[in-house]
Amino acid sequence: MRMKLWWLLYLLAAPAFAAPQLDQLTLPKGFHVAVYSDQVPKAREITLGAKGTVFVGSGDAGKVYALTDSKHDGVADKVRVVASGLESPIGVAFKNGDLYVSAVSRIVVLRDIENHLDDPPKPELITDKLPTEMHHGTKFIAFGPDGKLYVPIGAPCNICDPGPDHGKLTRMNADGSGMEDVAHGIRNTVGFDWQPGTRKLWFTDNGRDMMGDDMPSDELNRITRIGEHFGFPYCQQGDTLDPEFGKGKSCKDYTPPVLKLGAHVASLGMRFYEGKQFPASYKGAIIVAEHGSWNRTKKSGYRVMTVRLQGSKVLSYEPLITGFEQDERAWGRPVDVQPLPDGSLLVSDDLAGAVYRVTYKP
């Protein structure tokens, strides 16, 4: 009953659909934002095809979208649905011409997709061995530099001891075989990427709810070894024992976050920026989409942030885009970020049903 009440509160607090309001957005000097497409309802994770197709997972009736900028003018002039009827296919990943899609308990693949955008193939099952719970059951997915597909399995609760089958990050071969655990103690990661040069995996993690407005913080984490434990549900934000599950535990036994991102900001997609269009200070930085709070007295998040690094050390944590909410009313909720080959940056927004393109020109 308690979990059902928590979920009902979440649904009631979720804002209704809104249209893009770019005039409300604020970016650093020299940066500009435009609509890449406003025809992607509940747009979630973004991945890029080898031929320039932008694929977007969604929470819209089980659909996956393909966006094409055939005029090369920074606007998607064609929007296609390449899959439908899947269960919450928010996650998309591209490898060797094939599009992999997460569907809660399943991973499916659309073979040779960019050559069949107008007549997409039937999804082929990769695995159906993932948990079926919907609570934190949707999955951001990505291929790592080792060629394996990384798949998170969130905790099926706000706060609970998830046991060995949940609250972790896993990886598998592209054919679904060889599934193994990578890290534990992760409540729900909806964004991760590998740092160029070091090839270390960094990820965002959402902190638990119902500990007040300012506790605990969301986390930016870095994996240094297989099997590492990041504290959930025993230790929150790296330094605070959980009031329900922390008894007898010590935060020193778990890996703390590299950076606290703020309470309830709902940090989701993140990517390292390696392009040349933005100023040099953005090279190697992490860009993070913060979806925004739903259970805080005063809203937090609803923005896109830049985390500048020196190796594994955080130098700064600053806004790139703000203005998705004003006066406690939100019209947009950033979900994912994806740099393009020309150095611009795409941002998905599941509330406005849009994908934006951020450019820089002094």
Side-chain angles (χ1 to χ4, degrees):
M1 179 63 70
R2 182 178 179 184
M3 189 195 80
K4 290 181 179 178
L5 177 61
W6 177 88
W7 188 244
L8 177 61
L9 290 171
Y10 171 79
L11 293 176
L12 290 174
F17 175 82
Q21 300 174 30
L22 298 192
D23 60 324
Q24 301 295 319
L25 296 179
T26 300
L27 295 87
K29 186 176 180 179
F31 284 89
H32 309 273
V33 61
V35 173
Y36 187 76
S37 174
D38 59 3
Q39 302 298 312
V40 193
K42 299 183 181 180
R44 299 288 293 189
E45 186 181 353
I46 307 170
T47 195
L48 304 180
K51 298 181 179 181
T53 310
V54 173
F55 295 100
V56 187
S58 84
D60 174 40
K63 295 178 181 177
V64 178
Y65 293 85
L67 314 182
T68 305
D69 175 13
S70 61
K71 299 177 183 177
H72 304 291
D73 60 359
V75 177
D77 51 87
K78 195 155 190 177
V79 178
R80 301 173 176 92
V81 175
V82 293
S84 60
L86 299 174
E87 186 176 21
S88 298
I90 73 158
V92 286
F94 188 88
K95 182 179 177 63
N96 296 335
D98 301 331
L99 180 67
Y100 292 74
V101 182
S102 68
V104 185
S105 62
R106 303 188 304 150
I107 303 291
V108 298
V109 62
L110 282 69
R111 301 290 187 191
D112 195 26
I113 183 63
E114 284 188 290
N115 290 322
H116 297 91
L117 294 176
D118 291 315
D119 58 337
K122 182 179 179 180
E124 175 186 318
L125 182 67
I126 294 297
T127 183
D128 58 0
K129 305 302 183 185
L130 301 169
T132 59
E133 289 90 351
M134 280 301 297
H135 197 134
H136 296 152
T138 57
K139 296 170 176 64
F140 176 105
I141 59 176
F143 280 96
D146 55 6
K148 294 182 180 291
L149 181 65
Y150 284 67
V151 181
I153 300 177
C157 56
N158 168 39
I159 182 70
C160 63
D161 193 330
D165 296 331
H166 296 80
K168 61 185 180 179
L169 180 64
T170 69
R171 65 183 177 186
M172 64 183 72
N173 297 322
D175 63 3
S177 66
M179 186 173 179
E180 61 180 333
D181 293 347
V182 175
H184 299 270
I186 301 169
R187 181 174 177 269
N188 188 39
T189 178
V190 194
F192 44 87
D193 196 12
W194 289 261
Q195 186 175 30
T198 70
R199 291 163 57 113
K200 296 294 185 183
L201 192 155
W202 294 60
F203 67 93
T204 59
D205 193 13
N206 288 184
R208 64 160 291 183
D209 298 307
M210 308 308 176
M211 276 184 67
D213 276 2
D214 300 314
M215 283 289 293
S217 179
D218 281 12
E219 300 175 2
L220 177 64
N221 293 290
R222 176 175 177 262
I223 296 176
T224 59
R225 57 180 174 81
I226 297 297
E228 207 161 359
H229 198 294
F230 290 85
F232 182 85
Y234 316 114
C235 177
Q236 307 295 336
Q237 67 175 34
D239 58 13
T240 302
L241 289 176
D242 187 84
E244 297 177 63
F245 291 90
K247 186 176 180 179
K249 304 292 184 178
S250 172
C251 284
K252 293 186 295 184
D253 294 332
Y254 309 106
T255 302
V258 177
L259 176 65
K260 297 177 185 179
L261 298 174
H264 308 297
V265 298
S267 52
L268 301 185
M270 59 148 284
R271 296 294 200 293
F272 283 92
Y273 182 82
E274 285 295 296
K276 297 180 180 179
Q277 185 178 132
F278 291 5
S281 62
Y282 285 82
K283 184 84 169 181
I286 299 173
I287 311 296
V288 182
E290 295 183 352
H291 199 225
S293 61
W294 64 270
N295 64 336
R296 197 170 184 273
T297 303
K298 186 176 181 180
K299 283 181 166 50
S300 59
Y302 298 93
R303 60 190 183 181
V304 177
M305 299 293 286
T306 301
V307 182
R308 291 188 177 85
L309 302 171
Q310 185 175 62
S312 60
K313 180 182 178 182
V314 173
L315 300 179
S316 64
Y317 175 48
E318 301 172 346
L320 177 62
I321 312 175
T322 58
F324 289 99
E325 66 90 12
Q326 291 93 21
D327 301 321
E328 297 300 300
R329 294 183 64 87
W331 63 263
R333 303 189 80 181
V335 176
D336 196 17
V337 294
Q338 176 64 67
L340 292 178
D342 67 356
S344 62
L345 178 78
L346 296 182
V347 179
S348 61
D349 176 352
D350 66 351
L351 180 55
V355 176
Y356 312 113
R357 180 170 174 259
V358 179
T359 55
Y360 178 79
K361 186 175 182 181

